[in-house]
Structures are given as structure tokens and as C-alpha cells.
Amino acid sequence: MEIGIDSFASAMYGSNMLSGVDAMEQLLERIVQADEAGLAIYGIGEHHKKEFLDSAPAVILAAAAAKTKNIRLTSAVTVLSTSDPVRVYQSFATLDLISKGRAELVVGRGSAIEAYPLFGFDLNDYDALFKEKLDLLLKIREQEFVTWSGKFRPALNNQPVYPRSVQEKIPVWLGVGGTPESFVRAGTLGLPLMVAVIGGETARFRPLVDLYREAGLQAGFAPEQLKVGLHSPGYVAATNEEAVADYYPGYAELWTKAGGERGWPPVTKAQFDASVAPKGVLVVGGPEQVAEKLLKHSEALGGIDRFTFQMDNAGLTHEQLLRSIEIIGKEVIPRVSKS
């Protein structure tokens, strides 16, 4: 199992807003730390909000590429529905050149919707936009000269797209929430699947992951091509008690605020404790408990190939995050690898 981190480039520690310069400098320090600690992957999301600095993830990843040697660098996710697939490919092919073949993409429709009015797209076209643009992105990945036509973008007639990536094909993962059609689409296309689980129990996604694998096999793809990744909130400290004490206050503040915007009730400690329990979604604890939980999550989903922590938007300090990355590299990854 590959283990890594996803970040939204948060500019806040709890209620304290950092300057953009300081927040970006610290984020790059954490990516370097992850590389040195032996983590496999670091992802940068895409949002267009004041508290997050990840509106241009390929730029952040390119800066990280120049400072790192081994870690793979990915979007998490690229909101493809509101992006031009030509520019997306060009940006990540350029990242692939800078990183000497370490670029990846996770593409999705986006759980936040601020990009749609910002870039002039109709939210009613939410799925149609994504389906069409994914088709074009995959065609560009396959072919240097592209002929293509669709509804939402001008046609291409034997048009070359440059630069080309170092990798023969930049890995493109499909980021999904809980829509069965999205799981089937990923399987039918033979794309690796990244499942975002932010609440409830991870095991509830097993029927959807089974749908993905069934669709992929029916489309003629080998089982080893049908990779499954899992993205969940989490944090690792020296002990279980320390991890909960560090993580809960910021987590409760964040999700209570988000819930107020979406009509959810405030977060309670009982809800948090249930999410930290063995079957719950939050991967929070000391290294032994976290390693055990990752293995349980993998078993629950019939095996996972990648896990990414989301941990820099729960009010944790830069120093706490650096220490957590170190523990993941030194203590969590070896435990998972032995099993």
C-alpha cells in the first residue's frame, strides 16, 4: 500500500490566518519532509476560497518538484468540469518534465461548486461537462495529434498538444464520492479509483468498489490495472491520546462551520469518537492504531493500493504536521509494509 498526504494548502491554523507567503513556504517544507520521510505521494487539491491557496495546484506541485527527489506529485482533485483539458494536460506534462516523471492527476467533478460560476459554467451541466472533458483529456494523453469535437469546447482538428510528458501516460485517477455511476465509469475506462471518504464507516463503500471492479473486468481490464485508493481525514501523533487531543478541537470547528453552510448539525465528541473507532472513517491515533486501521480499511474494501491522509485543515500547527509526517514515514509505513 502506498501512503501519502493530500493538502488543500490551508492558510489557517484554527482561527489564525497566516500570510499567503508563510503558508505556502510551510506547505513546501512539509512536502520536502514527506519526500525525505519516504512517503509515496503528495497531492494538492483545487479550491477557489479565501482560506485555501490551492487554486493553481500544478504551480504548487512544480515548486515542490524542484525541491524533492522521489515522492510522486498529484492533484487531489483537479476540477476537470471547469477546466480546459488541453491546459490541464500541458500543465501536468510540464510538471512531469520538471519532476522527471513523477506527475499524476486525480480528476473529478468537485464537491465544492465555487469554480462553476467563477469560470462561467452552468451547474446543471455538472456531469455532462465532466464526461466530455475526461474523454478529451484521455485522448490527449494517448495522442500527440488530436482530432476531437464536443459540446462545451471548440473542436480540435489534427491539432498537436505540447509538451509531451516524460511518462508514456501520466497516471489519471478518477476521484469519486458516493455516486454509483462514477464508480462504473472509472471501471469501464480502466482508470484507477480514488475514493474520498469523509464520514460514516469506510466499509459502506465496498458495494461501490465492487461495482468498479466488476465494470473494469467486463470492459477487459486485468485486476491489477484496477487500482483503488482511499482518501480520508487523519492524523498521527506519538500516542492515541495525544492525537485526539491535537486533532479534535480543529476538526470540530471545521466541520461545524462546514455543516452550518450545508445544513448539518454541529459536530459532537460522541460523533468524533465513533469516527475514530476501528470501523470509523477518521484515521487518527498513534502509529500502531493507525497502521491497524489502514489494514482494516483495506480489508473492508477488498484491498486498497493507496491511502492519503487529509490532515492540514483541522487547526494543526506546522510543527505538529511535520512531526506527524515523520511518524508516518518512520513508524506507520513499516508497520503496514510488514503485514
Side-chain angles (χ1 to χ4, degrees), residues 155-305:
L156 298 172
N157 183 19
N158 200 37
Q159 185 72 39
V161 178
Y162 300 118
R164 306 305 296 178
S165 61
V166 174
Q167 299 173 88
E168 182 179 354
K169 292 182 182 180
I170 295 176
V172 175
W173 295 63
L174 195 62
V176 298
T179 307
E181 292 80 7
S182 296
F183 286 78
V184 172
R185 174 160 47 208
T188 301
L189 294 171
L191 297 176
L193 184 76
M194 179 56 71
V195 186
V197 183
I198 61 173
E201 294 186 358
T202 300
R204 68 191 171 94
F205 283 84
R206 177 62 182 268
L208 295 171
V209 172
D210 288 345
L211 270 180
Y212 161 70
R213 291 182 171 125
E214 290 167 10
L217 293 174
Q218 289 176 6
F221 295 100
E224 60 269 18
Q225 293 177 276
L226 302 172
K227 295 182 178 181
V228 176
L230 180 63
H231 159 102
S232 292
Y235 171 68
V236 190
T239 66
N240 297 334
E241 294 75 17
E242 182 183 340
V244 169
D246 289 348
Y247 192 81
Y248 174 69
Y251 173 86
E253 180 181 347
L254 170 74
W255 287 104
T256 296
K257 179 182 177 182
E261 296 171 353
R262 302 186 186 190
W264 305 336
V267 172
T268 67
K269 185 61 163 58
Q271 291 171 331
F272 177 81
D273 291 341
S275 294
V276 174
K279 293 184 179 180
V281 66
L282 294 181
V283 186
V284 175
E288 184 173 354
Q289 177 168 295
V290 164
E292 289 176 357
K293 192 159 193 178
L294 292 182
L295 293 170
K296 288 181 186 296
H297 280 344
S298 182
E299 182 181 359
L301 295 180
I304 61 174
D305 301 280

Side-chain angles (χ1 to χ4, degrees), residues 16 34 70 82 89 95 105 123 130 143 152 185 213 217 238 262 264 309 320 334 339:
N16 300 317
N70 300 306
T82 61
Y89 179 83
L95 171 63
L105 274 157
L123 195 58
F130 181 72
Q143 302 170 5
F152 300 104
R185 174 160 47 208
R213 291 182 171 125
L217 293 174
R262 302 186 186 190
W264 305 336
F309 290 87
Q320 287 172 320
S339 301

